[in-house]
Amino acid sequence: MKPGDAVGKPAGERRPLRIALLGCGTVGSQVVRLLREQARDLEARVGAPLELAGVAVRRIDRRRDVEIDPALLTTDAMGLVTRDDVDIVVEVIGGIEPARTLILAAMERGKSIVTANKALLAEDGATIHGAARRHGVDLYFEASVGGAIPLLRPLRESLAGDHVHRVLGIVNGTTNYILDKMDSTGASFTDALEEAQALGYAEADPTADVEGFDAAAKAAILAGIAFHTRVTAADVHREGITEITAADVASAAAMGYVIKLLAICARSEDGRSVGVRVHPAMIPRSHPLAGVREAYNAVFVEAESAGRLMFYGAGAGGPQTASAVLGDIVAVARNRLAGTRGPDESTYADLPVHPIGETVTRYHVALDVADKPGVLARVAEIFAKHDVSIQTVRQEGHGDDAQLVIVTHHAKDAALSATVESLRELDIVRAVASVMRVEGEDER
Amino acid sequence: MKPGDAVGKPAGERRPLRIALLGCGTVGSQVVRLLREQARDLEARVGAPLELAGVAVRRIDRRRDVEIDPALLTTDAMGLVTRDDVDIVVEVIGGIEPARTLILAAMERGKSIVTANKALLAEDGATIHGAARRHGVDLYFEASVGGAIPLLRPLRESLAGDHVHRVLGIVNGTTNYILDKMDSTGASFTDALEEAQALGYAEADPTADVEGFDAAAKAAILAGIAFHTRVTAADVHREGITEITAADVASAAAMGYVIKLLAICARSEDGRSVGVRVHPAMIPRSHPLAGVREAYNAVFVEAESAGRLMFYGAGAGGPQTASAVLGDIVAVARNRLAGTRGPDESTYADLPVHPIGETVTRYHVALDVADKPGVLARVAEIFAKHDVSIQTVRQEGHGDDAQLVIVTHHAKDAALSATVESLRELDIVRAVASVMRVEGEDER
């Protein structure tokens, strides 16, 4: 169809907008179900019927969560996305290839794209966004971050007249489930991971989640939109949660903290650069993010005029992610009917992404130390030498169990790292028991 | 300008989009400030400069929070909105007239409208939306509900492919401030109101807030969007908080509840009608809305596929509301450049709004009773007669202080009201000490 050729006709006379679906797993099968069950509502909201043109799958005969007319199934994804009767391509395969090649081929033929593919957008957003602009097609990807939670549209559109300082949140449900279990039951990382796998919250190979790759891709996407700057996954400082021990969790709990895997996108103080990082951090138990349980996600946005906003909801799951996909389908369908497009990627600010060492943060450091006079003085000297100011220090235990627990004031991450390195070399420090960043105290 | 005539030209060559601002109070002055301070960012995001064409005020010589070139000020609002060089009219006067007349006149001349006017949209949305459609202009009103919180855009666009069951939230900051103070300090309603007035959270005439008119207008707007149905303020069952006593708050607290003024928009169980109501209600202290302090707002949305979403932030305030206004300005400006429009009002579902009596809810009832055998039996009989099932009953105090505290299961509001009426007539009931709806226990 030519964009706009249905405008003005009564809904009943408009030819359907036809959708090619790439992938029919957890999310894809829910997209099929919703397109079917909500068909009337969708038609009323779009102004024309939405019709499934075909579903590209790897294996035709696999058992699926939803019944699909066999005539719609195909293993020829490229053939499907380039068909003339397809208006909108919905990509829920995930991963870089073949998703990228298929999306680019579809755009070249003028199809609007709806995708949930955070990995692709975070790794090669330049190519994908560039192609969308060049071919004048829509590229919507609300489902790529925060599952069902409307996040990208509010950031991109509702806050388009504001100045975002920081985006801070829990954007990976698997790791939040694991850390929540560790916190609430005292389980080890391994046990909590196994439980998450048994319940379907974690995959057989959990690397993407527990090593922070998934959260880092989402952080890159959030930072790009929030700061009008292109940010890739490679720009994101990333640490996973595999080394968090039950002892770390218990010790945090004893001090009134909870450990969460956070994605933090923040402008530097002078506003001239941005930092994007994903790592476990201690947050006060009174912080709203501390109350985000199980596999839920929540994201804080701090903007100059709007102040602090929070968005909370299910960060994953078939129906939840499909809800976000459907919202995007309605948007691109309306745009096609109106002969228009949604806003392009906005990267005009083009701010440099500074390395983690430049980030200003706070540390919680637990040191196993010799229990003798002068220990604190020597430890404090190391902090002072690196210009890191100590907020609180507490000695716990005696003799062989003596531990110094130190919480610092804000300092550059590089200075904090260097401090910890120096501490490791100190003869009176038997071991650096734990080092963790502390977040969320300033905005309580 | 003709819509679209700037498309394709480099940003620098595009003629500015010119904005007429109606009202320069708390919100308006912040809009002026942001248009000035964010000028470069706004130009980059819109694709053309935004320029203030004029500001209509009641009195030219009033002291304002922001400096404005006197040449821009005018008392002739009608003259301003009908000027040929105005593209976008931003209305932050509030109230029905002259706002309505000015908006209609502006639309007739093809101007895009951004408004924060909940009262007008809730009272006469049909006229305003109808005119926008007829004249083919944009009508954006994110700032009318929830201040800075992106609510309407997510409901209208992100959830366009989902089926919303319920919207439940705190949408009035003044009453939340008052109830929070009553809860945290034991203050009376009058004292808490005075404090809110002293701090600028409540107006000299607080009627619109404390009687629930403001929340009811917002509930009407939320329900309309959530259910694709026209809902007016008159459809909303409204009860304010003026009769909440310190004793009510203390008694709720003793039972683990907190009293909040809630706006609740919900489909009936069979989905064939909707109920929209604003009233104080008891919610469990463990409910996320219970933690919404001071003048903050928070709204839960429960949708078929997305599940439960929560949006939290500042519900009022000059800069906060101005942030929402600016977001809308950017959207309508982009639309003008692209020669397109945002989605029209969607009322296709056209569901009837059922009266409060049809609403299914729970009651907490405290009765001052005679302390003698058989009292509970007679009270229980009254509930049974009206087909209202009792969940818990507890006797507190003895002799003259004897009180029965009853919490019901879900029942129709009409049956619950009738039960309370019958209880009042019972000789052994000395007084109905308090009656309050209980919400938020099912979704814990």
Side-chain angles (χ1 to χ4, degrees), chain A residues 41 167 221 226 274 347 385 434:
Chain A
D41 279 317
V167 179
I221 294 171
V274 296
T347 56
K385 206 181 77 186
S434 90

Side-chain angles (χ1 to χ4, degrees), chain B residues 57-74:
Chain B
V57 293
R58 237 178 309 179
R59 293 214 328 265
I60 299 284
D61 55 357
R62 217 187 105 189
R63 216 184 137 269
R64 294 173 219 289
D65 297 344
V66 68
E67 255 187 69
I68 301 177
D69 177 356
L72 291 176
L73 292 173
T74 173

Side-chain angles (χ1 to χ4, degrees), chain A residues 121-159:
Chain A
L121 290 167
E123 178 166 312
D124 196 12
T127 303
I128 307 296
H129 285 290
R133 188 180 303 109
R134 205 163 55 251
H135 299 300
V137 298
D138 267 338
L139 170 65
Y140 277 60
F141 47 102
E142 181 67 66
S144 65
V145 184
I149 312 171
L151 260 180
L152 306 189
R153 185 175 276 109
L155 261 183
R156 186 161 68 166
E157 302 184 33
S158 306
L159 291 168

Side-chain angles (χ1 to χ4, degrees), chain B residues 65-197:
Chain B
D65 297 344
V66 68
E67 255 187 69
I68 301 177
D69 177 356
L72 291 176
L73 292 173
T74 173
T75 54
D76 178 13
M78 185 55 83
L80 176 62
V81 302
T82 52
R83 263 163 57 178
D84 283 344
D85 65 335
V86 165
D87 302 294
I88 298 166
V89 171
V90 176
E91 185 271 307
V92 288
I93 312 174
I96 309 301
E97 287 294 351
R100 175 169 49 197
T101 303
L102 293 168
I103 288 175
L104 293 174
M107 285 180 173
E108 205 182 319
R109 279 159 188 83
K111 321 299 187 196
S112 306
I113 307 293
V114 173
T115 173
N117 196 327
K118 62 211 142 237
L120 175 57
L121 289 167
E123 177 166 313
D124 197 12
T127 302
I128 306 296
H129 286 289
R133 188 181 303 110
R134 205 163 55 249
H135 299 300
V137 298
D138 266 339
L139 170 65
Y140 276 58
F141 47 102
E142 182 67 65
S144 64
V145 185
I149 312 171
L151 259 181
L152 306 189
R153 185 176 274 106
L155 262 183
R156 186 162 67 165
E157 302 184 33
S158 306
L159 291 169
D162 209 325
H163 188 73
V164 176
H165 291 304
R166 191 157 81 133
V167 178
L168 174 146
I170 295 166
V171 296
N172 179 271
T174 307
T175 48
N176 199 60
Y177 185 88
I178 292 170
L179 291 172
D180 183 36
K181 281 298 138 188
M182 291 175 74
D183 181 59
S184 59
T185 69
S188 69
F189 168 77
T190 313
D191 289 348
L193 169 60
E194 276 173 17
E195 187 185 330
Q197 287 172 319

Side-chain angles (χ1 to χ4, degrees), chain A residues 404-419:
Chain A
L404 277 187
V405 177
I406 295 150
V407 178
T408 73
H409 281 293
H410 280 97
K412 286 214 171 164
D413 201 274
L416 289 159
S417 297
T419 306

Side-chain angles (χ1 to χ4, degrees), chain B residues 18-74:
Chain B
R18 289 172 58 80
I19 296 168
L21 178 64
L22 305 181
C24 199
T26 319
V27 177
S29 57
Q30 294 300 317
V31 170
V32 172
R33 182 179 66 79
L34 290 173
L35 282 172
R36 188 180 297 155
E37 288 179 8
Q38 311 258 51
R40 277 185 186 208
D41 280 317
L42 292 170
E43 175 171 355
R45 295 173 194 180
V46 166
L50 297 179
E51 215 173 80
L52 202 55
V55 182
V57 293
R58 237 178 309 179
R59 293 214 328 265
I60 299 284
D61 55 357
R62 217 187 105 189
R63 216 184 137 269
R64 294 173 219 289
D65 297 344
V66 68
E67 255 187 69
I68 301 177
D69 177 356
L72 291 176
L73 292 173
T74 173

Side-chain angles (χ1 to χ4, degrees), chain B residues 370-442:
Chain B
D371 186 11
K372 55 185 180 186
V375 166
L376 177 57
R378 291 189 53 202
V379 165
E381 197 187 335
I382 299 285
F383 278 87
K385 207 181 79 187
H386 291 95
D387 218 15
V388 175
S389 165
I390 291 175
Q391 185 187 45
T392 62
V393 59
R394 215 172 65 233
Q395 174 162 349
E396 287 179 352
H398 291 287
D400 285 353
D401 287 333
Q403 199 172 58
L404 277 186
V405 177
I406 296 151
V407 179
T408 74
H409 280 294
H410 280 96
K412 287 215 169 160
D413 202 273
L416 289 159
S417 297
T419 306
V420 172
E421 280 318 297
S422 298
L423 289 170
R424 279 188 216 281
E425 286 160 19
L426 218 58
D427 56 346
I428 50 159
V429 171
R430 286 203 311 274
V432 176
S434 89
V435 175
M436 191 148 326
R437 295 186 188 86
V438 180
E439 300 287 340
E441 292 210 304
D442 39 335

Side-chain angles (χ1 to χ4, degrees), chain A residues 58-141:
Chain A
R58 238 179 309 182
R59 292 213 330 264
I60 298 284
D61 56 357
R62 217 186 104 190
R63 216 184 136 270
R64 292 173 222 290
D65 297 342
V66 68
E67 255 187 70
I68 301 178
D69 176 357
L72 291 176
L73 292 171
T74 174
T75 54
D76 178 13
M78 186 55 85
L80 176 62
V81 302
T82 53
R83 263 164 56 178
D84 283 343
D85 65 334
V86 166
D87 302 293
I88 299 166
V89 171
V90 176
E91 185 269 310
V92 288
I93 312 173
I96 307 302
E97 286 296 351
R100 175 170 47 198
T101 304
L102 293 170
I103 288 175
L104 293 174
M107 285 181 174
E108 205 180 319
R109 279 161 188 82
K111 321 298 187 197
S112 307
I113 308 292
V114 173
T115 174
N117 197 328
K118 61 210 141 237
L120 175 57
L121 290 167
E123 178 166 312
D124 196 12
T127 303
I128 307 296
H129 285 290
R133 188 180 303 109
R134 205 163 55 251
H135 299 300
V137 298
D138 267 338
L139 170 65
Y140 277 60
F141 47 102

